[in-house]
């Protein structure tokens, strides 16, 4: 049995994979070991065997909020959950696996007649990462939509899947209990409110959407490819006469806002810092007041269109990005008296 586990581990564990291909930043050196499990069982096997080998591990989703190192540590295993992409819709409850893109929820909501996830349209990242950081857009956040979360506790020798209710997850502004525990999110239950009109419930459309995504999955760490896929799928839902789906104004507004700020035309992780609500403005507005928009270093630049985005404009390194991160932090501290907290997860070796 253990030999079977080693065999599966060696099959799933790839060698010398460029992390830049799995990050929306397009930054990162070659990882000695890299795995993309498609099921919880595969994930558990990878965790068990890598622990026996004494390997350091990093677990992430689509890489849309990660700054990987230019020179990853030798022997380290990077585990992406972006192949864990399944959804089960039963009446008013959805079960979702952690690798499912958040943007997929908005389209599934259109298909099933639920408006609850319109705010996730064109939101990069996976469900697991969205729960981990309690991703939000304006006043709506993922933690408010979750009923329960399934996770694996790395401190548990059995690596059994456990469940926690949403009211125990300590959700706050871009915060959750998962940021403080050695837990890997593997899925979630979401209860969808009853609708005044009957749900459209086209299982065939959901299946087609998932199939199309899985066929494109490996490419969607690129924001331009990500935008092309989800905007095309949305148009496709509109064009299919049997679904008779019209795009809600809220989703159209999201697309207008994100495209106006060039979210998908450059390599980035979106907003770099969390907003500080004790300040009198967003981080982007403070950066603009300080005259830092457009400041460049190496291959990186602070976006001329959005002050809270640091872009990989010309084959930037992680060091280039971090230089501009420190430039913004130091300037805000000197002028406003606080150090902004990064939203991007920075991995240094």
């Amino acid at each position: 049995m253990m030999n079977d586990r080693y065999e599966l581990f060696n099959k799933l564990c790839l060698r010398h994979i460029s992390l830049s291909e799995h990050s929306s930043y397009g930054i990162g050196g070659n990882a000695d070991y890299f795995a993309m499990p498609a099921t919880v069982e595969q994930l558990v096997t990878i965790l068990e065997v890598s622990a026996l080998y004494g390997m350091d591990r990093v677990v992430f989703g689509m890489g849309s909020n990660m700054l990987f190192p230019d020179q990853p540590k030798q022997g380290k295993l990077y585990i992406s959950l972006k192949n864990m992409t399944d959804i089960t819709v039963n009446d008013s409850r959805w079960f979702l696996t952690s690798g499912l893109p958040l943007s997929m929820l908005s389209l599934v909501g259109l298909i099933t007649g639920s408006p609850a996830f319109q705010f996730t349209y064109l939101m990069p990242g996976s469900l697991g990462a969205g729960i981990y950081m309690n991703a939000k857009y304006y006043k709506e956040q993922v933690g408010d939509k979750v009923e329960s979360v399934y996770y694996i506790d790395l401190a548990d020798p059995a690596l059994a899947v456990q469940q926690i209710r949403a009211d125990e997850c300590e959700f706050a502004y871009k915060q959750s209990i998962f940021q403080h525990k050695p837990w890997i999110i593997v899925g979630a239950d979401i209860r969808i409110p009853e609708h005044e009109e009957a749900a459209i419930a086209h299982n065939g459309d959901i299946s087609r959407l998932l199939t199309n995504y899985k066929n494109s999955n490996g490419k969607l760490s690129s924001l331009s490819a990500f935008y092309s896929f989800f905007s095309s799928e949305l148009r496709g839902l509109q064009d299919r006469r049997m679904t008779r789906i019209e795009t809600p104004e809220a989703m159209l507004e999201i697309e207008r806002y994100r495209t106006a700020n060039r979210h998908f035309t450059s390599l980035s992780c979106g907003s770099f810092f969390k907003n500080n609500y004790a300040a009198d403005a967003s981080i982007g507005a403070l950066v603009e007041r300080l005259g830092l928009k457009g400041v460049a270093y190496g291959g990186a630049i602070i976006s001329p269109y959005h002050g809270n985005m640091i872009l990989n404009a010309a084959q930037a390194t992680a060091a280039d990005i971090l230089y501009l991160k420190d430039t913004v932090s130091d300037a805000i501290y000197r002028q406003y008296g606080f150090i902004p907290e990064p939203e991007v997860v920075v991995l240094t070796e």
Side-chain angles (χ1 to χ4, degrees):
M1 183 67 174
M2 183 54 69
N3 287 337
D4 291 341
R5 289 183 179 275
Y6 278 108
E7 183 178 349
L8 179 58
F9 175 83
N10 290 328
K11 180 179 179 180
L12 294 171
C13 196
L14 308 176
R15 298 296 307 275
H16 308 302
I17 300 299
S18 174
L19 293 173
S20 65
E21 298 177 2
H22 298 277
S23 165
S24 61
Y25 246 140
I27 292 174
N30 288 340
D32 278 357
Y33 301 96
F34 186 89
M36 292 190 294
T39 64
V40 170
E41 290 75 19
Q42 289 182 357
L43 173 61
V44 169
T45 295
I46 291 168
L47 294 173
E48 285 179 340
V49 177
S50 62
L52 291 173
Y53 282 138
M55 302 172 75
D56 288 339
R57 301 168 297 195
V58 171
V59 181
F60 65 100
M62 296 176 67
S64 64
N65 208 41
M66 307 282 289
L67 179 61
F68 290 119
D70 298 317
Q71 296 181 317
K73 181 180 177 181
Q74 288 187 334
K76 197 165 196 173
L77 170 61
Y78 289 80
I79 305 170
S80 169
L81 303 186
K82 65 181 177 180
N83 278 351
M84 294 176 59
T85 52
D86 287 304
I87 179 169
T88 303
V89 177
N90 291 319
D91 298 324
S92 60
R93 175 173 289 164
W94 300 354
F95 171 73
L96 315 165
T97 51
S98 61
L100 197 76
L102 286 166
S103 294
M104 189 76 76
L105 307 188
S106 63
L107 301 189
V108 174
L110 286 184
I111 292 170
T112 59
S114 170
F117 279 92
Q118 291 176 7
F119 77 101
T120 68
Y121 179 56
L122 296 182
M123 181 182 285
S126 62
L127 173 70
I131 292 172
Y132 176 88
M133 69 173 295
N134 192 18
K136 73 186 296 289
Y137 185 81
Y138 284 109
K139 296 182 180 180
E140 295 196 87
Q141 56 190 15
V142 171
D144 292 336
K145 312 295 182 178
V146 172
E147 185 176 65
S148 59
V149 180
Y150 299 90
Y151 67 94
I152 292 173
D153 183 354
L154 292 177
D156 173 18
L159 295 177
V161 175
Q162 302 182 49
Q163 185 177 7
I164 184 172
R165 298 194 315 270
D167 59 7
E168 299 175 309
C169 289
E170 300 176 9
F171 288 121
Y173 170 64
K174 296 190 177 179
Q175 294 286 332
S176 76
I177 192 173
F178 303 99
Q179 297 174 17
H180 311 289
K181 299 285 186 179
W183 297 352
I184 299 174
I185 298 168
V186 296
D189 288 324
I190 295 174
R191 180 169 290 280
I192 303 302
E194 296 293 332
H195 320 303
E196 293 181 4
E197 299 179 1
I200 300 173
H202 289 291
N203 288 330
D205 283 328
I206 294 174
S207 177
R208 179 192 59 80
L209 181 62
L210 278 175
T211 298
N212 289 349
Y213 173 73
K214 290 177 180 180
N215 289 338
S216 303
N217 189 11
K219 305 173 184 177
L220 296 192
S221 288
S222 159
L223 290 180
S224 60
F226 166 86
Y227 172 69
S228 177
F229 176 85
F230 282 103
S231 59
S232 295
E233 288 296 323
L234 178 60
R235 306 298 182 262
L237 286 176
Q238 291 175 306
D239 293 341
R240 288 166 64 87
R241 293 184 179 181
M242 291 183 64
T243 58
R244 298 179 182 176
I245 293 174
E246 294 187 3
T247 304
E249 178 58 30
M251 293 173 67
L252 293 174
E253 178 56 33
I254 288 172
E255 184 158 359
R256 287 192 290 266
Y257 171 78
R258 292 193 183 275
T259 54
N261 285 291
R262 313 291 180 92
H263 279 208
F264 308 112
T265 57
S266 299
L267 300 173
S268 81
C269 280
S271 295
F272 198 95
F273 298 99
K274 299 178 182 180
N275 285 318
N276 183 338
Y277 287 106
D280 64 348
S282 68
I283 297 298
L286 297 182
V287 169
E288 184 168 4
R289 290 179 190 175
L290 291 166
L292 293 176
K293 288 172 70 174
V295 170
Y297 180 82
I301 186 172
I302 299 172
S303 172
Y305 305 100
H306 192 298
N308 197 11
M309 294 174 65
I310 303 176
L311 312 179
N312 173 5
Q315 297 182 322
T317 64
D320 294 339
I321 300 294
L322 292 175
Y323 180 91
L324 291 181
K325 171 250 185 189
D326 291 341
T327 297
V328 171
S329 295
D330 292 346
I332 288 179
Y333 179 71
R334 289 195 304 268
Q335 185 67 28
Y336 300 104
F338 71 94
I339 298 175
E341 180 184 356
E343 179 176 324
V344 172
V345 177
V346 177
L347 296 179
T348 56
E349 300 293 284

